[in-house]
Amino acid sequence: MGFLFLTIILILWGYSFTNIKISPFSILFMSLGIFYSQFTSINIDLIIKVLFLITSIIYLIKDKYSKKYVFSLLLIAVLILIESTSPSKFNQYYGFIDALTSFATFSTGILLFSIKFSLQERRSILKSISYLPIFSVLIGIPLTFGGFISMTARGGIALSGAALETNLSFFSVLSLVSLDILYQDTRSNKYQILKIINFILLCCTLTRGGIISGIIIILPSLLFLLKKGFKGVRQFIFLIITIFGSIYPLILLWKSISERTFSADGINTSGRYTAWDYIVNLTTNKSQGMGLGSLKTLTEDINLRAFTAAHNTYIQFYYETGYLGVTLLSILFILILIIILKLTNYRKKIIYLTFISFLVYSYTDNCIVNNRYWYLFMFIIGCFKYFDRKEENALL
Protein backbone atom coordinates (compact mmCIF):
# COMPACT_ATOMS: atom_id res chain seq x y z
CA MET A 1 0.00 0.00 0.00
CA GLY A 2 2.82 2.41 0.87
CA PHE A 3 4.60 1.66 -2.40
CA LEU A 4 1.35 2.30 -4.31
CA PHE A 5 0.83 5.72 -2.71
CA LEU A 6 4.46 6.66 -3.27
CA THR A 7 4.26 5.67 -6.94
CA ILE A 8 1.08 7.73 -7.44
CA ILE A 9 2.65 10.78 -5.76
CA LEU A 10 5.83 10.60 -7.84
CA ILE A 11 3.94 10.11 -11.12
CA LEU A 12 1.54 13.00 -10.45
CA TRP A 13 4.36 15.23 -9.22
CA GLY A 14 6.42 14.57 -12.36
CA TYR A 15 3.40 14.99 -14.64
CA SER A 16 2.48 18.33 -13.05
CA PHE A 17 5.64 19.91 -14.49
CA THR A 18 4.37 19.10 -17.99
CA ASN A 19 0.82 20.40 -17.43
CA ILE A 20 0.39 24.08 -16.65
CA LYS A 21 -3.10 23.44 -15.24
CA ILE A 22 -1.72 21.30 -12.41
CA SER A 23 0.68 22.73 -9.83
CA PRO A 24 3.27 20.34 -8.35
CA PHE A 25 2.59 22.03 -5.02
CA SER A 26 -1.09 21.07 -5.25
CA ILE A 27 -0.01 17.43 -5.57
CA LEU A 28 2.42 17.73 -2.66
CA PHE A 29 -0.02 19.50 -0.35
CA MET A 30 -2.73 16.92 -1.04
CA SER A 31 -0.22 14.14 -0.33
CA LEU A 32 0.11 15.49 3.22
CA GLY A 33 -3.49 14.42 3.88
CA ILE A 34 -2.35 10.87 4.65
CA PHE A 35 -0.17 9.79 7.56
CA TYR A 36 1.76 6.98 5.88
CA SER A 37 3.56 5.66 8.95
CA GLN A 38 0.30 3.98 9.98
CA PHE A 39 0.58 1.29 7.31
CA THR A 40 4.04 1.27 5.71
CA SER A 41 7.69 1.18 6.67
CA ILE A 42 8.62 3.34 3.67
CA ASN A 43 9.56 6.84 4.85
CA ILE A 44 7.16 8.58 2.47
CA ASP A 45 7.09 11.70 4.65
CA LEU A 46 10.83 12.20 4.14
CA ILE A 47 10.44 11.76 0.39
CA ILE A 48 7.63 14.33 0.34
CA LYS A 49 9.81 16.77 2.29
CA VAL A 50 12.58 16.32 -0.29
CA LEU A 51 10.09 16.90 -3.13
CA PHE A 52 8.86 20.09 -1.43
CA LEU A 53 12.44 21.34 -1.11
CA ILE A 54 13.38 20.47 -4.70
CA THR A 55 10.21 22.05 -6.10
CA SER A 56 10.68 25.22 -4.05
CA ILE A 57 14.27 25.61 -5.26
CA ILE A 58 13.18 25.10 -8.89
CA TYR A 59 10.52 27.81 -8.53
CA LEU A 60 12.97 30.23 -6.91
CA ILE A 61 15.53 29.70 -9.66
CA LYS A 62 12.88 30.51 -12.29
CA ASP A 63 11.53 33.55 -10.44
CA LYS A 64 14.04 36.36 -9.87
CA TYR A 65 11.59 38.51 -7.91
CA SER A 66 11.21 35.93 -5.15
CA LYS A 67 14.94 36.20 -4.42
CA LYS A 68 14.39 39.73 -3.16
CA TYR A 69 13.30 38.48 0.27
CA VAL A 70 14.41 34.87 0.46
CA PHE A 71 18.09 35.61 1.14
CA SER A 72 17.48 37.82 4.17
CA LEU A 73 14.99 35.35 5.64
CA LEU A 74 17.22 32.35 4.95
CA LEU A 75 20.14 34.20 6.52
CA ILE A 76 18.27 34.28 9.83
CA ALA A 77 17.52 30.55 9.50
CA VAL A 78 21.21 29.85 8.85
CA LEU A 79 22.18 31.92 11.88
CA ILE A 80 19.79 29.84 14.02
CA LEU A 81 21.44 26.67 12.71
CA ILE A 82 24.97 27.98 13.32
CA GLU A 83 24.40 29.42 16.79
CA SER A 84 22.61 26.32 18.07
CA THR A 85 24.84 23.56 16.71
CA SER A 86 28.46 22.66 17.33
CA PRO A 87 30.46 19.40 17.38
CA SER A 88 30.48 19.49 21.20
CA LYS A 89 26.68 18.98 21.21
CA PHE A 90 26.71 15.93 18.96
CA ASN A 91 26.50 12.47 20.50
CA GLN A 92 25.47 8.93 19.58
CA TYR A 93 21.83 10.02 19.27
CA TYR A 94 22.18 13.54 17.87
CA GLY A 95 24.40 14.47 14.94
CA PHE A 96 24.86 16.96 12.13
CA ILE A 97 22.38 15.10 9.89
CA ASP A 98 19.65 15.59 12.50
CA ALA A 99 20.42 19.32 12.63
CA LEU A 100 20.48 19.57 8.84
CA THR A 101 17.17 17.69 8.51
CA SER A 102 15.43 20.09 10.90
CA PHE A 103 17.01 23.06 9.11
CA ALA A 104 15.77 21.74 5.74
CA THR A 105 12.17 21.54 7.01
CA PHE A 106 12.40 24.98 8.60
CA SER A 107 13.96 26.61 5.54
CA THR A 108 11.53 24.95 3.10
CA GLY A 109 8.76 26.88 4.82
CA ILE A 110 10.70 30.08 4.24
CA LEU A 111 11.09 29.22 0.56
CA LEU A 112 7.34 28.59 0.25
CA PHE A 113 6.67 32.01 1.76
CA SER A 114 9.11 33.71 -0.62
CA ILE A 115 7.89 32.29 -3.94
CA LYS A 116 5.74 34.61 -6.03
CA PHE A 117 3.16 32.31 -7.58
CA SER A 118 1.05 33.31 -10.55
CA LEU A 119 -2.52 34.26 -9.73
CA GLN A 120 -3.92 31.09 -11.29
CA GLU A 121 -1.47 28.79 -9.56
CA ARG A 122 -1.91 30.50 -6.21
CA ARG A 123 -5.65 30.02 -6.43
CA SER A 124 -5.23 26.37 -7.51
CA ILE A 125 -3.01 25.58 -4.52
CA LEU A 126 -5.34 27.39 -2.11
CA LYS A 127 -8.21 25.25 -3.39
CA SER A 128 -6.14 22.12 -2.75
CA ILE A 129 -5.51 23.22 0.83
CA SER A 130 -9.18 24.11 1.27
CA TYR A 131 -10.27 20.60 0.29
CA LEU A 132 -7.43 18.89 2.18
CA PRO A 133 -9.45 18.14 5.39
CA ILE A 134 -12.31 16.65 3.36
CA PHE A 135 -9.84 14.70 1.20
CA SER A 136 -8.16 13.26 4.31
CA VAL A 137 -11.51 12.12 5.71
CA LEU A 138 -12.76 10.67 2.41
CA ILE A 139 -9.52 8.79 1.65
CA GLY A 140 -9.60 7.47 5.21
CA ILE A 141 -12.90 5.65 4.60
CA PRO A 142 -11.60 2.99 2.16
CA LEU A 143 -8.34 2.71 4.10
CA THR A 144 -10.32 2.01 7.28
CA PHE A 145 -12.57 -0.56 5.61
CA GLY A 146 -9.43 -2.18 4.21
CA GLY A 147 -8.04 -2.50 7.72
CA PHE A 148 -5.02 -0.28 7.02
CA ILE A 149 -5.87 2.54 9.45
CA SER A 150 -8.42 3.69 11.99
CA MET A 151 -10.26 6.94 11.32
CA THR A 152 -11.01 7.44 15.01
CA ALA A 153 -8.75 8.59 17.83
CA ARG A 154 -8.79 9.52 21.53
CA GLY A 155 -10.43 6.25 22.49
CA GLY A 156 -12.74 6.26 19.49
CA ILE A 157 -14.43 9.61 20.15
CA ALA A 158 -12.42 11.88 17.81
CA LEU A 159 -12.02 12.03 14.03
CA SER A 160 -8.61 11.63 12.43
CA GLY A 161 -9.31 10.86 8.78
CA ALA A 162 -6.38 9.30 6.94
CA ALA A 163 -3.99 11.42 8.98
CA LEU A 164 -3.85 11.89 12.76
CA GLU A 165 -6.38 13.92 14.70
CA THR A 166 -3.64 16.55 15.24
CA ASN A 167 -2.82 16.70 11.53
CA LEU A 168 -6.48 16.85 10.54
CA SER A 169 -6.79 19.76 12.96
CA PHE A 170 -3.84 21.47 11.24
CA PHE A 171 -5.49 21.06 7.84
CA SER A 172 -8.85 22.33 9.08
CA VAL A 173 -7.47 25.42 10.82
CA LEU A 174 -5.34 26.53 7.88
CA SER A 175 -8.04 25.70 5.34
CA LEU A 176 -10.17 28.37 7.03
CA VAL A 177 -7.59 31.01 6.06
CA SER A 178 -7.34 29.60 2.52
CA LEU A 179 -11.11 29.75 2.15
CA ASP A 180 -11.19 33.34 3.37
CA ILE A 181 -8.65 34.32 0.69
CA LEU A 182 -10.58 32.44 -1.99
CA TYR A 183 -13.83 34.07 -0.92
CA GLN A 184 -12.24 37.51 -1.09
CA ASP A 185 -11.01 36.62 -4.59
CA THR A 186 -14.25 35.27 -5.99
CA ARG A 187 -17.12 36.16 -3.62
CA SER A 188 -18.38 32.62 -4.24
CA ASN A 189 -20.61 31.37 -1.42
CA LYS A 190 -19.37 27.81 -1.89
CA TYR A 191 -16.23 28.82 0.00
CA GLN A 192 -18.35 30.00 2.93
CA ILE A 193 -20.11 26.63 2.96
CA LEU A 194 -16.74 24.85 2.82
CA LYS A 195 -15.61 26.98 5.75
CA ILE A 196 -18.52 25.64 7.83
CA ILE A 197 -17.78 22.04 6.81
CA ASN A 198 -14.08 22.33 7.64
CA PHE A 199 -14.80 23.97 10.99
CA ILE A 200 -17.13 21.06 11.83
CA LEU A 201 -14.33 18.64 10.92
CA LEU A 202 -12.01 20.67 13.14
CA CYS A 203 -14.41 20.32 16.07
CA CYS A 204 -14.67 16.57 15.42
CA THR A 205 -10.92 16.19 16.03
CA LEU A 206 -11.47 17.36 19.66
CA THR A 207 -8.11 19.13 19.40
CA ARG A 208 -8.37 21.91 21.96
CA GLY A 209 -5.62 24.18 20.64
CA GLY A 210 -6.86 23.75 17.08
CA ILE A 211 -10.46 24.61 17.94
CA ILE A 212 -9.38 27.78 19.76
CA SER A 213 -7.14 28.73 16.82
CA GLY A 214 -9.97 28.07 14.38
CA ILE A 215 -12.39 30.24 16.35
CA ILE A 216 -9.85 33.09 16.23
CA ILE A 217 -9.72 32.84 12.43
CA ILE A 218 -13.50 32.71 11.89
CA LEU A 219 -14.18 35.43 14.47
CA PRO A 220 -14.88 38.12 11.81
CA SER A 221 -17.34 35.77 10.08
CA LEU A 222 -19.15 35.12 13.36
CA LEU A 223 -19.37 38.83 14.11
CA PHE A 224 -20.59 39.53 10.57
CA LEU A 225 -23.29 36.85 10.96
CA LEU A 226 -24.47 38.42 14.21
CA LYS A 227 -24.45 41.91 12.71
CA LYS A 228 -26.30 40.80 9.59
CA GLY A 229 -28.90 39.00 11.71
CA PHE A 230 -30.28 42.30 12.98
CA LYS A 231 -30.72 43.89 9.53
CA GLY A 232 -34.06 42.34 8.64
CA VAL A 233 -36.73 39.87 9.70
CA ARG A 234 -35.53 37.11 7.35
CA GLN A 235 -31.93 37.49 8.48
CA PHE A 236 -32.99 37.52 12.12
CA ILE A 237 -34.98 34.31 11.71
CA PHE A 238 -31.97 32.68 10.01
CA LEU A 239 -29.75 33.82 12.89
CA ILE A 240 -32.12 32.38 15.51
CA ILE A 241 -32.36 29.06 13.65
CA THR A 242 -28.57 28.93 13.37
CA ILE A 243 -28.10 29.63 17.09
CA PHE A 244 -30.67 27.06 18.24
CA GLY A 245 -29.40 24.53 15.70
CA SER A 246 -25.90 24.92 17.11
CA ILE A 247 -26.82 24.46 20.78
CA TYR A 248 -26.99 20.66 20.86
CA PRO A 249 -23.79 20.07 18.81
CA LEU A 250 -22.00 22.61 21.04
CA ILE A 251 -23.19 20.78 24.16
CA LEU A 252 -21.86 17.50 22.79
CA LEU A 253 -18.58 19.16 21.82
CA TRP A 254 -18.16 20.75 25.24
CA LYS A 255 -18.96 17.46 26.97
CA SER A 256 -16.30 15.59 24.96
CA ILE A 257 -13.65 18.29 25.38
CA SER A 258 -14.36 18.83 29.10
CA GLU A 259 -14.00 15.08 29.75
CA ARG A 260 -10.52 15.29 28.22
CA THR A 261 -9.61 18.59 29.88
CA PHE A 262 -10.84 18.30 33.46
CA SER A 263 -10.10 15.55 35.94
CA ALA A 264 -10.26 15.01 39.69
CA ASP A 265 -6.69 16.30 39.98
CA GLY A 266 -7.44 19.53 38.07
CA ILE A 267 -6.81 20.45 34.45
CA ASN A 268 -5.65 17.58 32.25
CA THR A 269 -3.15 18.75 29.65
CA SER A 270 -2.41 15.23 28.32
CA GLY A 271 0.93 15.31 30.11
CA ARG A 272 2.06 18.57 28.54
CA TYR A 273 2.89 20.53 31.71
CA THR A 274 4.94 17.66 33.13
CA ALA A 275 6.81 17.20 29.85
CA TRP A 276 7.40 20.94 29.45
CA ASP A 277 8.94 21.26 32.92
CA TYR A 278 11.10 18.23 32.24
CA ILE A 279 12.31 19.55 28.87
CA VAL A 280 13.08 23.02 30.29
CA ASN A 281 15.11 21.44 33.10
CA LEU A 282 17.08 19.42 30.54
CA THR A 283 18.26 22.63 28.89
CA THR A 284 21.78 23.10 30.23
CA ASN A 285 22.82 25.64 27.56
CA LYS A 286 20.19 28.32 28.02
CA SER A 287 21.75 30.87 25.67
CA GLN A 288 22.34 28.67 22.61
CA GLY A 289 20.26 25.59 23.34
CA MET A 290 21.05 21.93 22.86
CA GLY A 291 21.12 21.95 19.06
CA LEU A 292 18.55 22.42 16.31
CA GLY A 293 16.62 19.16 15.88
CA SER A 294 18.07 17.60 19.04
CA LEU A 295 14.81 17.16 20.98
CA LYS A 296 13.43 14.53 18.62
CA THR A 297 16.53 12.39 19.19
CA LEU A 298 15.85 11.92 22.92
CA THR A 299 14.01 8.68 22.24
CA GLU A 300 16.04 6.90 24.93
CA ASP A 301 14.56 9.12 27.64
CA ILE A 302 11.49 7.23 28.86
CA ASN A 303 10.32 10.27 30.82
CA LEU A 304 9.53 12.09 27.58
CA ARG A 305 7.59 9.24 26.00
CA ALA A 306 5.61 10.96 23.19
CA PHE A 307 7.16 14.36 23.82
CA THR A 308 10.31 14.23 21.70
CA ALA A 309 8.33 16.93 19.92
CA ALA A 310 7.43 19.21 22.77
CA HIS A 311 3.85 20.03 21.72
CA ASN A 312 4.89 23.61 22.42
CA THR A 313 6.78 25.50 19.72
CA TYR A 314 8.26 27.99 22.20
CA ILE A 315 9.68 25.35 24.53
CA GLN A 316 10.90 23.29 21.56
CA PHE A 317 12.84 26.24 20.15
CA TYR A 318 14.11 27.25 23.58
CA TYR A 319 15.45 23.74 24.24
CA GLU A 320 17.04 23.41 20.81
CA THR A 321 18.30 26.96 20.13
CA GLY A 322 18.23 28.82 23.46
CA TYR A 323 17.37 32.45 24.09
CA LEU A 324 19.44 33.50 21.07
CA GLY A 325 17.52 31.21 18.72
CA VAL A 326 14.15 32.31 20.09
CA THR A 327 15.21 35.94 19.57
CA LEU A 328 16.25 35.25 15.98
CA LEU A 329 12.97 33.41 15.37
CA SER A 330 11.06 36.42 16.69
CA ILE A 331 13.01 38.71 14.35
CA LEU A 332 12.20 36.37 11.46
CA PHE A 333 8.46 36.60 12.08
CA ILE A 334 8.54 40.35 12.61
CA LEU A 335 10.36 40.71 9.29
CA ILE A 336 7.82 38.41 7.57
CA LEU A 337 4.94 40.46 8.96
CA ILE A 338 6.59 43.72 7.81
CA ILE A 339 7.07 42.29 4.30
CA ILE A 340 3.41 41.23 4.12
CA LEU A 341 2.00 44.52 5.38
CA LYS A 342 4.27 46.47 3.02
CA LEU A 343 3.11 44.61 -0.10
CA THR A 344 -0.52 43.67 0.49
CA ASN A 345 -3.90 45.32 0.24
CA TYR A 346 -5.54 42.36 1.96
CA ARG A 347 -7.66 42.94 5.06
CA LYS A 348 -5.22 43.64 7.86
CA LYS A 349 -7.43 42.15 10.58
CA ILE A 350 -7.36 38.73 8.91
CA ILE A 351 -3.57 38.90 8.65
CA TYR A 352 -3.27 39.75 12.33
CA LEU A 353 -5.78 37.08 13.35
CA THR A 354 -3.89 34.47 11.30
CA PHE A 355 -0.68 35.30 13.14
CA ILE A 356 -2.47 35.35 16.51
CA SER A 357 -3.97 31.95 15.68
CA PHE A 358 -0.46 30.67 14.93
CA LEU A 359 0.90 32.05 18.21
CA VAL A 360 -1.95 30.49 20.20
CA TYR A 361 -1.69 27.11 18.47
CA SER A 362 2.08 27.11 18.97
CA TYR A 363 1.53 27.00 22.73
CA THR A 364 0.01 23.52 22.58
CA ASP A 365 1.49 21.98 19.44
CA ASN A 366 4.44 21.65 17.08
CA CYS A 367 3.62 24.32 14.52
CA ILE A 368 7.12 24.59 13.07
CA VAL A 369 8.72 21.16 13.43
CA ASN A 370 5.61 19.50 11.95
CA ASN A 371 5.75 20.11 8.21
CA ARG A 372 2.02 19.44 7.92
CA TYR A 373 1.39 22.75 9.65
CA TRP A 374 4.53 24.69 8.78
CA TYR A 375 4.41 24.25 4.99
CA LEU A 376 0.72 25.13 4.75
CA PHE A 377 1.03 28.12 7.06
CA MET A 378 4.04 29.62 5.30
CA PHE A 379 2.51 29.19 1.84
CA ILE A 380 -0.78 30.77 2.96
CA ILE A 381 0.77 33.83 4.61
CA GLY A 382 2.95 34.14 1.51
CA CYS A 383 -0.30 34.52 -0.48
CA PHE A 384 -1.06 37.66 1.52
CA LYS A 385 2.00 39.38 0.01
CA TYR A 386 0.72 39.80 -3.53
CA PHE A 387 -3.01 39.93 -2.94
CA ASP A 388 -4.66 42.44 -5.25
CA ARG A 389 -8.44 42.14 -5.32
CA LYS A 390 -8.86 44.15 -8.55
CA GLU A 391 -6.27 42.07 -10.31
CA GLU A 392 -7.78 38.84 -9.01
CA ASN A 393 -11.31 39.70 -10.06
CA ALA A 394 -10.09 40.61 -13.56
CA LEU A 395 -9.31 36.92 -14.06
CA LEU A 396 -12.81 35.69 -13.24
Side-chain angles (χ1 to χ4, degrees):
M1 179 60 71
F3 181 76
L4 175 63
F5 273 115
L6 179 59
T7 302
I8 293 172
I9 291 169
L10 290 174
I11 290 174
L12 291 176
W13 177 75
Y15 174 71
S16 66
F17 283 98
T18 66
N19 190 329
I20 60 174
K21 294 183 179 180
I22 303 176
S23 169
F25 283 109
S26 291
I27 303 300
L28 294 177
F29 277 122
M30 293 301 285
S31 71
L32 295 176
I34 305 172
F35 186 65
Y36 305 94
S37 299
Q38 299 175 94
F39 55 79
T40 181
S41 58
I42 303 174
N43 197 338
I44 297 179
D45 280 336
L46 178 60
I47 296 172
I48 292 174
K49 287 181 181 180
V50 172
L51 294 179
F52 262 109
L53 181 58
I54 291 173
T55 310
S56 299
I57 292 173
I58 291 173
Y59 269 63
L60 284 167
I61 291 173
K62 293 193 300 182
D63 182 11
K64 294 181 180 180
Y65 188 82
S66 297
K67 299 173 186 177
K68 183 176 181 181
Y69 302 107
V70 69
F71 290 120
S72 57
L73 297 177
L74 275 181
L75 176 61
I76 298 176
V78 171
L79 290 175
I80 291 174
L81 174 67
I82 294 173
E83 66 84 19
S84 64
T85 56
S86 66
S88 62
K89 296 178 181 178
F90 299 146
N91 53 49
Q92 59 179 324
Y93 305 114
Y94 172 62
F96 181 69
I97 297 299
D98 297 302
L100 203 58
T101 302
S102 293
F103 172 76
T105 300
F106 183 53
S107 58
T108 298
I110 294 174
L111 298 182
L112 286 168
F113 170 81
S114 304
I115 296 170
K116 184 179 181 181
F117 293 94
S118 68
L119 300 176
Q120 295 92 336
E121 186 169 14
R122 186 161 76 241
R123 183 176 292 161
S124 172
I125 301 171
L126 285 170
K127 287 180 180 178
S128 299
I129 295 174
S130 300
Y131 285 102
L132 184 53
I134 299 173
F135 167 77
S136 184
V137 171
L138 291 179
I139 201 70
I141 295 174
L143 289 175
T144 299
F145 280 121
F148 296 103
I149 66 168
S150 173
M151 282 184 64
T152 58
R154 309 194 193 286
I157 63 172
L159 182 68
S160 62
L164 300 174
E165 66 277 14
T166 303
N167 292 338
L168 183 58
S169 174
F170 286 159
F171 305 151
S172 300
V173 169
L174 294 172
S175 71
L176 298 176
V177 189
S178 295
L179 288 164
D180 191 86
I181 297 173
L182 287 169
Y183 178 72
Q184 293 302 317
D185 284 352
T186 65
R187 296 295 176 178
S188 173
N189 287 328
K190 72 176 182 180
Y191 296 123
Q192 298 289 58
I193 296 172
L194 269 175
K195 190 181 291 187
I196 296 172
I197 294 172
N198 287 348
F199 186 74
I200 291 173
L201 292 179
L202 171 61
C203 292
C204 290
T205 67
L206 299 183
T207 306
R208 293 161 294 193
I211 293 172
I212 295 172
S213 300
I215 291 173
I216 291 172
I217 291 172
I218 67 170
L219 193 58
S221 298
L222 293 175
L223 294 175
F224 176 76
L225 180 63
L226 286 172
K227 184 178 179 181
K228 188 177 180 180
F230 293 96
K231 288 190 174 182
V233 176
R234 185 179 298 178
Q235 292 89 336
F236 183 74
I237 293 174
F238 176 77
L239 176 62
I240 295 299
I241 293 174
T242 302
I243 292 174
F244 276 96
S246 303
I247 290 176
Y248 184 65
L250 287 173
I251 291 174
L252 292 178
L253 177 63
W254 171 250
K255 182 180 178 182
S256 298
I257 291 179
S258 60
E259 287 176 355
R260 292 187 57 236
T261 304
F262 303 105
S263 63
D265 299 326
I267 297 178
N268 174 24
T269 61
S270 304
R272 279 176 169 81
Y273 283 164
T274 302
W276 294 344
D277 289 338
Y278 190 79
I279 292 169
V280 169
N281 290 330
L282 283 177
T283 312
T284 56
N285 189 335
K286 299 182 184 301
S287 60
Q288 293 178 278
M290 310 301 289
L292 186 65
S294 60
L295 185 58
K296 70 176 184 290
T297 67
L298 294 180
T299 52
E300 300 298 315
D301 194 327
I302 60 172
N303 293 298
L304 287 176
R305 299 190 181 119
F307 286 92
T308 47
H311 298 286
N312 184 310
T313 301
Y314 309 109
I315 289 177
Q316 179 110 22
F317 248 77
Y318 167 69
Y319 174 85
E320 294 185 350
T321 68
Y323 291 126
L324 183 55
V326 172
T327 301
L328 288 170
L329 183 67
S330 301
I331 294 172
L332 175 71
F333 275 107
I334 292 171
L335 184 57
I336 285 173
L337 186 57
I338 291 173
I339 291 172
I340 292 173
L341 295 176
K342 179 181 178 182
L343 295 174
T344 193
N345 68 352
Y346 197 75
R347 296 178 299 163
K348 301 294 191 299
K349 64 181 177 182
I350 296 298
I351 295 173
Y352 291 133
L353 287 175
T354 301
F355 273 85
I356 292 171
S357 173
F358 167 78
L359 294 174
V360 170
Y361 211 163
S362 293
Y363 183 72
T364 60
D365 230 308
N366 315 303
C367 293
I368 292 181
V369 298
N370 191 325
N371 65 305
R372 281 176 168 80
Y373 185 99
W374 182 238
Y375 290 174
L376 272 70
F377 174 73
M378 292 299 281
F379 166 78
I380 290 170
I381 63 173
C383 290
F384 288 139
K385 298 197 308 292
Y386 308 111
F387 184 88
D388 187 328
R389 193 173 302 166
K390 292 180 180 178
E391 201 172 352
E392 295 278 349
N393 290 335
L395 295 176
L396 298 180

